[in-house]
Amino acid sequence: MKDEEIIDHVLVPKHKILDKKEIETVCKKYGITVKDLPKILKDDPAVKMLGAKPGDVVSIERISSTSGISVYYRTVI
Amino acid sequence: MGANCSIFEVGVIIMDESVIQNVLGLYEEKIDSLDISPKEKTALKLSLKDRYAKMRYDPGDAVGVVAAQSISEPATQTTLRSYHRAAGAGLNITQGLPRILEIFDARKVPVTPSMKIYLKKEYNNKDKAVEIASSIKETDLKHIMVMDSLDLANMALEVELDKGIIKQFNIIPDKIISAVKRKVKNVNASVDGNKLIFEIKKDKVTIKDLQALRFKLRDVHVKGIKGITHCIVERVGDEYVLYTLGSNLMKVSKIEGIDTSRLCSNNMFEIAEVLGIEAARNTLVMEIIETLRAQGVDTDVRHLLLVADAMTQSGEIQPIGRYGLSGSKSSVLARANFEETIRHLTDAAVYGLSDDLNGIVENVMIGKTAKVGTGLVDIAMKTQKKEKPKKVAETKE
């Protein structure tokens, strides 16, 4: 599938690369290090087009039936 | 009820006010459109907020255990019903307990892979839907011929094509021949009206050769996408939707007229490969919900979300079991307790592993209070100043 098709797909939530400050606030909020976050592969189609490198943190805006929009974080490995 | 996290310093503040606001925001419009007085509206909003707060988990609650119970108890109830199903109309896709097992075991390919294909607006009519369905369905030579026979006088093979089908699907005989030549070499082919005549390029052709050719030709792929054995058109609401048996997202997404933004498959691994792990997680949740709902089981989605998150947290879909989640636990005792006890214990002895005794299983084994629920904290006291709620008096055993 093409990149636009993947972005537009109903099953694919919005992915975004966090900058250093945002990573810090996330880690502080949950009291963890980047290593403790769930993982996402670097050749995952949704991440590949963002151009994320291993070590980056990606925020995922999930549309949740129980909490409206919930933000999830994953480290690229 | 409703955890007041600020008293404890458990580590994570599980849910903040913004989440509640988010959820209420979803219902705000609905409430505003109701035909009730403003006073009642605010009362309704408040009670909604209260209800939502009450549904939250307390810190330290063993959510995993509760999820496991909530899924497996109703799953045992459905066992008897699930294996028997009269042949209904349409496609027979695995349902019930076998499907639930398949999902949680994360089998690479489901027994009945299936796709749901929506069409673009311009293509949303019966003729176009049928046309697209025919271009998706795998068509072999055996599907479009009336008969094949051996012509022993000329030592050739005659294949008579079905006129109607050829006209309907717009298949050109030359295309079939080129498809045949791609698969079978050393064959001469010619068209004679409705018949295709094949001859083997060989000095002495035996009947055995012709018979072999005959069976080979039947499986020559002529049209459609390999692996998709059925494709039916169904009307859902005011839309035509295609359901398939067999799944190939990559190839189907390239066909014109298909709404790629809603194309989905029940094969999670394929989704993970094409659309990413998050899409796979969503599929996982949807598949579990659909299978459970079809059996009349009404499990709260949050249990399923938890399982799906756990299964996809490594970036790949992990099964639940020896080779997946249970096998990748950090605690030696927990793994030894599950399966392959001796292997885990000897491995631990050989490599000199230690166990921090943080989980439930380990603590049950050694008879210590597990760090769940009220066992999570030793003593928690409210400090006098409410402005600084972070200081916690904690004594260790």
Side-chain angles (χ1 to χ4, degrees):
Chain A
M1 275 196 191
K2 289 175 203 152
D3 283 359
E4 314 91 65
E5 285 175 346
I6 293 174
I7 293 171
D8 288 342
H9 202 283
V10 281
L11 288 174
V12 183
K14 223 185 250 171
H15 290 61
K16 206 189 93 190
I17 301 179
L18 297 186
D19 55 38
K20 272 190 181 169
K21 259 191 179 172
E22 287 169 314
I23 294 176
E24 233 169 70
T25 50
V26 169
C27 288
K28 220 178 168 187
K29 186 181 171 191
Y30 295 105
I32 50 168
T33 57
V34 174
K35 269 187 184 172
D36 300 327
L37 287 168
K39 315 285 189 291
I40 192 164
L41 302 180
K42 68 168 191 289
D43 48 2
D44 189 276
V47 164
K48 223 177 182 177
M49 59 187 153
L50 289 177
K53 289 177 221 88
D56 286 348
V57 174
V58 182
S59 80
I60 296 147
E61 271 183 32
R62 288 175 177 169
I63 295 159
S64 156
S65 55
T66 51
S67 61
I69 289 171
S70 72
V71 186
Y72 199 73
Y73 301 96
R74 286 194 129 109
T75 351
V76 182
I77 53 164
Chain B
M1 287 289 280
N4 190 353
C5 302
S6 56
I7 300 176
F8 310 101
E9 192 164 302
V10 181
V12 188
I13 290 170
I14 295 174
M15 206 181 268
D16 45 39
E17 201 62 14
S18 67
V19 176
I20 299 183
Q21 288 305 330
N22 260 343
V23 178
L24 289 184
L26 296 176
Y27 294 97
E28 203 122 50
E29 259 183 52
K30 254 188 189 171
I31 295 172
D32 285 335
S33 67
L34 289 174
D35 189 23
I36 47 175
S37 73
K39 212 177 168 185
E40 285 170 320
K41 272 179 197 171
T42 45
L44 182 57
K45 276 179 201 172
L46 273 178
S47 89
L48 254 181
K49 197 175 165 183
D50 209 38
R51 280 259 180 130
Y52 191 86
K54 272 185 184 169
M55 299 291 278
R56 300 189 296 184
Y57 274 107
D58 294 315
D61 239 332
V63 281
V65 175
V66 177
Q69 286 179 349
S70 310
I71 294 168
S72 40
E73 192 276 330
T76 53
Q77 307 280 322
T78 66
T79 320
L80 289 172
R81 269 177 286 164
S82 59
Y83 282 97
H84 305 283
R85 185 164 174 260
L91 305 170
N92 210 349
I93 293 163
T94 321
Q95 278 188 327
L97 200 67
R99 178 65 187 146
I100 296 174
L101 284 179
E102 207 172 82
I103 296 170
F104 289 138
D105 285 351
R107 307 249 169 86
K108 282 268 146 56
V109 181
V111 176
T112 47
S114 167
M115 277 193 299
K116 198 174 179 185
I117 304 167
Y118 288 92
L119 302 174
K120 277 181 186 162
K121 263 189 185 168
E122 312 90 86
Y123 290 84
N124 198 7
N125 57 56
K126 202 179 175 185
D127 294 342
K128 287 254 168 74
V130 170
E131 199 186 311
I132 290 174
S134 78
S135 71
I136 289 172
K137 192 191 159 192
E138 180 183 358
T139 313
D140 293 345
L141 195 55
K142 64 177 171 239
H143 297 130
I144 57 168
M145 69 187 186
V146 183
M147 58 175 269
D148 49 1
S149 53
L150 303 183
D151 181 359
L152 292 180
N154 302 317
M155 286 312 251
L157 181 74
E158 283 182 5
V159 177
E160 197 182 335
L161 300 172
D162 190 319
K163 254 188 194 172
I165 293 178
I166 282 187
K167 217 177 175 185
Q168 193 191 339
F169 291 169
N170 227 344
I171 299 169
I172 307 158
D174 287 343
K175 257 193 175 174
I176 301 171
I177 290 173
S178 62
V180 168
K181 280 191 173 166
R182 244 176 285 140
K183 190 174 177 189
V184 192
K185 273 157 200 167
N186 296 329
V187 160
N188 270 335
S190 56
V191 187
D192 178 20
N194 230 6
K195 275 182 191 164
L196 299 177
I197 297 158
F198 297 97
E199 281 169 343
I200 301 176
K201 284 187 214 166
K202 208 174 167 190
D203 289 340
K204 264 193 177 174
V205 182
T206 57
I207 296 175
K208 210 175 169 185
D209 290 334
L210 284 175
Q211 283 287 10
L213 179 68
R214 179 179 178 184
F215 287 108
K216 234 178 182 179
L217 284 190
R218 284 184 181 175
D219 289 328
V220 168
H221 182 68
V222 179
K223 200 169 179 263
I225 294 162
K226 258 192 186 169
I228 297 181
T229 49
H230 287 81
C231 185
I232 58 163
V233 182
E234 228 168 74
R235 203 189 157 100
V236 179
D238 54 355
E239 262 187 310
Y240 286 95
V241 186
L242 312 182
Y243 293 92
T244 67
L245 261 192
S247 171
N248 195 330
L249 283 177
M250 267 303 193
K251 279 189 176 161
V252 170
S253 69
K254 279 174 191 145
I255 289 172
E256 216 187 294
I258 277 166
D259 186 354
T260 48
S261 72
R262 286 189 289 169
L263 182 66
C264 57
S265 163
N266 69 355
N267 185 349
M268 303 173 293
F269 284 91
E270 205 184 0
I271 296 262
E273 201 178 295
V274 178
L275 295 169
I277 191 72
E278 277 296 314
R281 188 201 84 111
N282 285 333
T283 319
L284 186 63
V285 174
M286 266 164 40
E287 284 294 321
I288 305 173
I289 291 178
E290 267 175 35
T291 340
L292 289 179
R293 295 283 186 277
Q295 300 290 321
V297 177
D298 200 32
T299 309
D300 195 291
V301 257
R302 278 171 288 182
H303 301 308
L304 311 176
L305 292 176
L306 182 77
V307 175
D309 276 342
M311 284 175 75
T312 56
Q313 58 136 344
S314 67
E316 284 170 319
I317 301 167
Q318 271 190 311
I320 294 173
R322 201 187 323 171
Y323 301 107
L325 283 175
S326 304
S328 60
K329 279 180 185 166
S330 57
S331 162
V332 179
L333 290 180
R335 268 181 281 136
N337 183 55
F338 178 58
E339 265 171 24
E340 297 179 306
T341 310
I342 293 166
R343 190 176 72 98
H344 285 296
L345 290 181
T346 47
D347 277 5
V350 168
Y351 296 112
L353 303 180
S354 61
D355 199 317
D356 293 334
L357 302 177
N358 283 323
I360 301 173
V361 181
E362 305 94 283
N363 283 304
V364 172
M365 283 171 82
I366 61 164
K368 214 180 111 194
T369 317
K371 286 185 182 172
V372 275
T374 47
L376 187 69
V377 282
D378 291 333
I379 296 173
M381 269 169 67
K382 230 178 195 173
T383 46
Q384 289 179 334
K385 282 184 185 173
K386 267 205 167 170
E387 291 76 32
K388 282 185 179 175
K390 276 193 175 171
K391 286 207 170 174
V392 177
E394 207 174 63
T395 53
K396 284 192 176 165
E397 283 177 335

